Amino acid sequence: GPPPLPPAPPDGDGALCLRLLGRRDRGLDRVDGDLGIADRSAYDLTVHAEKTKIDLYAQEKLDEPETVEVVSMAKKAGALLGKDFKKDGAKVRAYLEGLSVADARALEEKVQADGKGEIEAEGQKFTVTKDHVAFDIKKETKTTRNYVPNVIEPSFGIDRIFTAVLEHSYYARPSDPQQDPQDKKDEKITRGVLGLSAEVAPYKAIIMPLDQRVSANETYQEMEAELRRGFAYRGINYKVDDSGATIGKRYARNDELGAPLAITVDFDSIGQGEDKALVRSVTLRERDTLTQVRMPVGDVAETVARIIMKQTTWGEVQQSYSEV
């Protein structure tokens, strides 16, 4: 199984870190790639604001104004901080005025009782006396709320996701028992298939003449033009493979491109077969099942579009048209 999750980082270093593991297989070797999502909370921006002295607060408008108590230094105590702590007076004052009302009162009571107290501001420790710790608690009406945004840090890119998609979709097909006899000598070659769904496949369909004798026929050229118009009108990406390779090899290489459907125009389609009722019909082949149906060329573009949009299934197409 996948390796165990790492422990959560300590507070202040991001409260939570998730690793999403995707198993990817290459032959017999397993490669595990991980996708990290770190909840950094407000730690990074808080530290950055402290070091750079830049306000990184976000502001949210309140639905209703609210009255709050805020801590402010008494005038005499504030002046004494600058006199006694010199250049560090500002950071001591910022620390004291940043205390909550409850913490300010608790510190004031402690220093009054002990005569002095120790605080830590920006990593430095300072000793304050009761003359330094004198607060004026004021009431203010606020219409906004300031806060430091939390940061979610994902550590992944589209390249890793895309690679995982390809590896999960790619597989090797066993030799086709019905493959072209001319291809028998190549049966030891791995028949790779990129099993992308019709929605994401870059090419949705391939148009292929059975061979170059068909591609030279005027009827084929008219049918190809009709298919091109139908696909263009519906915004369907397709390609034409009219090379001199055998039909089996062209099926195989377009399977490896991930095209889910292939349209073949054969001799029956152009009126040179025995059954004249098949003129201007084509075969539509589904990549994963290797099954084919024959349909009128005018039905092809709409059928392909409905499969892509998940308005119909290949099983329903098989029920509507005759299998070949």
Side-chain angles (χ1 to χ4, degrees):
L5 292 177
D11 291 341
D13 256 345
L16 177 65
C17 184
L18 301 178
R19 292 177 65 208
L20 305 184
L21 302 176
R23 177 171 296 179
R24 302 179 305 177
D25 297 298
R26 293 191 181 120
L28 298 177
D29 296 325
R30 191 192 80 183
V31 180
D32 285 320
D34 58 350
L35 177 157
I37 302 177
D39 179 2
R40 302 292 297 172
S41 72
Y43 175 75
D44 296 318
L45 292 181
T46 300
V47 172
H48 190 70
E50 289 176 355
K51 299 299 183 183
T52 62
K53 310 302 181 188
I54 296 175
D55 181 1
L56 296 178
Y57 284 99
Q59 192 174 80
E60 176 186 27
K61 187 175 181 179
L62 300 175
D63 294 333
E64 297 288 340
E66 58 183 34
T67 301
V68 297
E69 291 185 321
V70 295
V71 175
S72 176
M73 298 301 302
K75 187 174 181 180
K76 185 177 178 181
L80 194 59
L81 291 177
K83 178 182 176 182
D84 291 348
F85 295 104
K86 305 295 189 288
K87 62 183 179 65
D88 293 324
K91 68 174 68 172
V92 174
R93 179 167 188 155
Y95 170 83
L96 293 173
E97 291 189 328
L99 295 172
S100 66
V101 172
D103 289 343
R105 285 174 173 159
L107 178 61
E108 190 172 22
E109 290 175 4
K110 182 179 184 305
V111 173
Q112 288 289 340
D114 298 342
K116 63 180 180 179
E118 191 175 82
I119 64 170
E120 185 175 330
E122 299 185 21
Q124 290 181 261
K125 292 184 177 180
F126 301 94
T127 300
V128 292
T129 67
K130 59 183 180 181
D131 294 327
H132 299 133
V133 184
F135 301 107
D136 287 335
I137 307 301
K138 300 179 179 179
K139 289 188 177 181
E140 291 184 356
T141 299
K142 290 192 172 184
T143 58
T144 60
R145 180 177 71 90
N146 292 341
Y147 62 94
V148 179
N150 285 15
V151 174
I152 301 296
E153 181 184 15
S155 58
F156 66 97
I158 189 63
D159 54 345
R160 185 178 294 182
I161 296 174
F162 187 60
T163 299
V165 169
L166 293 181
E167 289 192 288
H168 279 285
S169 302
Y170 189 83
Y171 64 94
R173 192 197 305 280
S175 296
D176 184 356
Q178 298 182 348
Q179 71 183 104
D180 193 306
Q182 296 183 48
D183 294 337
K184 286 292 184 181
K185 60 183 179 180
D186 296 331
E187 62 184 7
K188 292 184 180 179
I189 297 176
T190 299
R191 302 293 186 183
V193 180
L194 187 58
L196 298 173
S197 64
E199 302 98 300
V200 301
Y203 293 112
K204 313 301 184 185
I206 308 295
I207 302 172
M208 296 190 292
L210 186 65
D211 62 25
Q212 292 187 317
R213 291 172 295 174
V214 174
S215 64
N217 184 273
E218 183 178 348
T219 301
Y220 164 78
Q221 293 166 6
E222 292 173 358
M223 294 172 69
E224 180 190 314
E226 182 177 345
L227 289 168
R228 285 179 179 271
R229 287 193 299 269
F231 288 148
Y233 177 75
R234 293 167 176 82
I236 297 173
N237 288 336
Y238 67 95
K239 69 188 295 282
V240 176
D241 188 346
D242 54 5
S243 68
T246 64
I247 190 68
K249 286 184 178 178
R250 283 182 283 155
Y251 279 143
R253 69 189 181 196
N254 287 296
D255 289 346
E256 198 161 22
L257 285 177
L261 299 165
I263 301 106
T264 304
V265 181
D266 56 21
F267 287 104
D268 287 327
S269 308
I270 60 175
Q272 294 184 9
E274 295 181 1
D275 191 347
K276 300 303 179 183
L278 300 180
V279 176
R280 297 189 65 81
S281 68
V282 298
T283 61
L284 182 65
R285 171 186 181 269
E286 201 273 332
R287 177 197 62 213
D288 298 325
T289 62
L290 298 176
T291 55
Q292 300 183 54
V293 297
R294 182 173 286 274
M295 65 175 59
V297 67
D299 292 358
V300 173
E302 181 61 23
T303 300
V304 172
R306 287 176 60 80
I307 291 173
I308 295 169
M309 299 292 291
K310 291 190 172 181
Q311 295 174 348
T312 190
T313 65
W314 179 247
E316 291 170 342
V317 172
Q318 289 177 294
Q319 292 174 8
S320 301
Y321 299 96
S322 58
E323 288 197 50
V324 293

